[in-house]
Amino acid sequence: NADVITYSKAVYFGDKLIGIAGGEIFVDDFIKEIASIKINKTGYMTLMDNNFNFLYHPNKDFKNLNGIF
């Protein structure tokens, strides 16, 4: 019962579909990784969904990118 990011891509040989390649990453693991990345002295990384809701932001008060501006 975990959130997962899945990426998949069709693999072709010429015009013939030969399979699907893909991978998954647990969102919690990904958040731990990006939270540990520091960009210069004050920079940071964020993770958003397609509606600009923050899945991770170091300031937990920020819920959506539109709410910052």
Side-chain angles (χ1 to χ4, degrees), residues 38-44:
K38 303 300 177 212
I39 302 170
N40 296 325
K41 291 184 180 181
T42 59
Y44 53 84

Side-chain angles (χ1 to χ4, degrees), residues 8-46:
S8 59
K9 184 167 178 85
V11 179
Y12 291 91
F13 185 75
D15 291 341
K16 184 176 180 177
L17 175 66
I18 59 171
I20 305 294
E24 294 181 335
I25 185 168
F26 288 99
V27 172
D28 288 343
D29 294 341
F30 192 49
I31 287 172
K32 287 177 190 172
E33 288 294 321
I34 65 171
S36 69
I37 297 171
K38 303 300 177 212
I39 302 170
N40 296 325
K41 291 184 180 181
T42 59
Y44 53 84
M45 296 186 73
T46 64

Side-chain angles (χ1 to χ4, degrees), residues 48-64:
M48 292 180 281
D49 66 13
N50 58 334
N51 293 314
F52 302 107
N53 296 311
F54 288 112
L55 302 174
Y56 168 75
H57 192 288
N59 184 335
K60 297 195 185 304
D61 293 334
F62 293 164
K63 304 297 180 206
N64 185 288

